[in-house]
Amino acid sequence: MNQKEKELLKSLCSYQAETFDEGLLDAATPAVLGQLFFNRMQAVAYGTLSKHGLLGKVNREFRNSLQGAYLQNQEKNKSFFWCVKHLGNILSCCTSPYAMLKGACLCKQYPEGYRTSNDIDLLVHPKDVTEIGNALLGGGFRQGNVRGGKFEPASRREIIASKMMRGETIPYVKEVNLPGMQFLEVDINFSLDYKPGDTDLLEDMLHNTIVAEESDFHVRTLRLDDFFIHLCAHLYKEATTLPWVEMMRDMTLYKYCDIYMLLHNASKEDVDFIFRRARTLGMEKVCAFAVLQMSQLFAFDNRYAVDVAECVLRDDLAFLHTVVSPGEKKVYLYTEKDVRERFFADNRKALLKEVNME
């Protein structure tokens, strides 16, 4: 992609910006359209063009593709919100604390149709996995994976291995046959890392769960600061773990857009509150990582949040460029330090150089 195409992509994704450079629209190429769909930002782009009255200024096929995706997202979210309520009813009998994460809460916070989710993530304490899992099984879920539109049950060996190695369970799946959603998938997470670890942080977060309400929509989730910190932790895990880099799923823009959406209009007090909490939980660098990388991919105007994040990492800039390979027990550094240029690289793995940690 040329520079103008890159700038257009950034502007289309930065939906909270008050202005838009109309001169960028002649760069509305198939390459930009492909990036929007690849990064699950097509509906956001449609909303941005609509907000600035520019839908009629772009190529018909470009516009119609975005509009179709936007309308499809709205339909899919109706089904998804039903699923969130359904899951809440199933878990209402559980005494163990849990929190719904990511899309279960975020889809309602964006303008309608901007954000979708393919599953529901639950955060639970390791000791409570059995109770939550049994409630799901009692509610008609089965453990396994959906492949090619068909459910494939997991073996007992796969179920045990996932708990031991990944810090999460094999997905719980239920066929719901709703518009845009044939299956509802629920993932139980009991670690903030790619492997099970210290449970003190989880216990602290789950002690402070809240019920977020919007009209008749209720979701049990983490307190706002913990929710943001967990979101940063999830983004960081995927952006810095080699298998995700190899799959080209390490820097998908919609994940960064969540950080952008939550932090764009945050006050200084909000930012300080989040980073104080992150420091207490030992997650300060992880939050700084997410903020600084996001600020290079979006038109982000909250300079105070960037300043705080830069202060956190001023003595450890390598933190922004480090990737680990858990299976090989190896550490790599990106040779390309510009996060934005790294994002547009066709093969980010080729930009990694192994570091000798001895």
Side-chain angles (χ1 to χ4, degrees):
M1 294 177 69
N2 62 39
Q3 194 60 34
K4 197 168 186 180
E5 289 172 320
K6 294 176 183 178
E7 285 300 320
L8 175 60
L9 180 69
K10 181 177 181 178
S11 296
L12 289 172
C13 294
S14 302
Y15 73 92
Q16 297 189 91
E18 294 302 319
T19 60
F20 191 98
D21 182 1
E22 188 176 335
L24 294 173
L25 292 179
D26 59 3
T29 62
V32 174
L33 187 64
Q35 284 283 4
L36 289 169
F37 275 82
F38 189 80
N39 286 279
R40 290 172 57 180
M41 295 296 291
Q42 62 271 40
V44 171
Y46 179 82
T48 299
L49 290 172
S50 178
K51 171 183 174 179
H52 296 286
L54 297 172
L55 286 170
K57 301 286 186 178
V58 294
N59 173 276
R60 182 185 68 177
E61 301 308 323
F62 192 97
R63 176 180 63 251
N64 287 350
S65 295
L66 298 182
Q67 182 183 41
Y70 171 69
L71 295 174
Q72 185 180 52
N73 279 7
Q74 289 183 314
E75 185 68 18
K76 181 177 180 178
N77 273 350
K78 291 177 184 177
S79 298
F80 181 70
F81 295 145
W82 181 92
C83 287
V84 172
K85 290 182 181 179
H86 179 62
L87 179 60
N89 290 334
I90 289 174
L91 298 179
S92 62
C93 63
C94 295
T95 58
S96 302
Y98 70 88
M100 295 192 194
L101 304 170
K102 298 188 295 182
C105 302
L106 291 169
C107 290
K108 275 285 187 181
Q109 296 186 48
Y110 279 93
E112 186 180 5
Y114 279 27
R115 172 71 150 84
T116 61
S117 183
N118 296 318
D119 53 27
I120 300 175
D121 289 272
L122 297 178
L123 186 67
V124 305
H125 194 282
K127 66 180 175 59
D128 298 324
V129 170
T130 299
E131 182 188 8
I132 299 294
N134 285 341
L136 293 174
L137 294 173
F141 285 83
R142 294 184 293 165
Q143 283 190 273
N145 293 279
V146 178
R147 297 188 175 98
K150 295 183 178 180
F151 174 76
E152 297 181 4
S155 68
R156 178 169 176 77
R157 181 177 180 179
E158 289 172 326
I159 291 171
I160 294 173
S162 183
K163 286 184 178 181
M164 295 290 290
M165 302 300 295
R166 296 172 56 195
E168 62 183 26
T169 63
I170 291 286
Y172 288 79
V173 179
K174 181 176 182 178
E175 190 163 6
V176 290
N177 289 315
L178 295 170
M181 285 192 74
Q182 181 183 358
F183 295 96
L184 168 58
E185 180 178 316
V186 176
D187 292 319
I188 299 180
N189 300 271
F190 50 92
S191 171
L192 299 177
D193 207 338
Y194 50 79
K195 59 186 183 299
D198 188 1
T199 59
D200 291 345
L201 175 56
L202 279 179
E203 194 162 346
D204 198 340
M205 285 185 165
L206 290 169
H207 181 69
N208 296 304
T209 58
I210 62 170
V211 176
E213 300 183 18
E214 185 171 333
S215 62
D216 64 337
F217 192 73
H218 303 79
V219 181
R220 177 162 293 284
T221 187
L222 298 176
R223 199 175 63 187
L224 181 58
D225 52 338
D226 285 347
F227 184 91
F228 182 84
I229 292 166
H230 175 270
L231 208 59
C232 291
H234 187 79
L235 183 153
Y236 173 78
K237 178 184 74 173
E238 296 183 351
T240 62
T241 307
L242 185 62
W244 289 87
V245 177
E246 293 173 331
M247 292 185 291
M248 289 295 287
R249 293 176 61 192
D250 54 315
M251 293 185 73
T252 315
L253 272 181
Y254 82 92
K255 304 169 192 173
Y256 289 91
C257 193
D258 292 339
I259 306 300
Y260 165 77
M261 183 270 291
L262 291 172
L263 212 56
H264 189 266
N265 294 316
S267 67
K268 290 184 178 181
E269 291 76 16
D270 292 335
V271 173
D272 287 339
F273 181 68
I274 288 171
F275 273 91
R276 275 199 305 270
R277 174 64 169 165
R279 192 179 310 120
T280 299
L281 299 174
M283 303 288 283
E284 194 176 20
K285 286 186 176 182
V286 166
C287 288
F289 174 99
V291 172
L292 292 180
Q293 289 212 352
M294 174 276 295
S295 70
Q296 294 189 47
L297 300 172
F298 289 80
F300 184 63
D301 295 330
N302 194 328
R303 185 64 227 179
Y304 183 74
V306 174
D307 288 343
V308 171
E310 287 179 340
C311 184
V312 170
L313 290 181
R314 64 186 172 190
D315 296 323
D316 189 10
L317 292 179
F319 195 80
L320 286 168
H321 314 300
T322 301
V323 170
V324 298
S325 175
E328 301 173 308
K329 294 183 171 54
K330 291 182 179 180
V331 178
Y332 299 86
L333 276 178
Y334 276 109
T335 56
E336 173 58 75
K337 298 300 190 286
D338 187 314
V339 172
R340 189 162 174 262
E341 289 305 309
R342 202 153 78 206
F343 169 79
F344 285 106
D346 291 331
N347 181 4
R348 284 191 284 274
K349 185 181 178 182
L351 301 176
L352 292 171
K353 183 178 180 180
E354 187 179 347
V355 178
N356 188 346
M357 300 301 292
E358 293 181 359

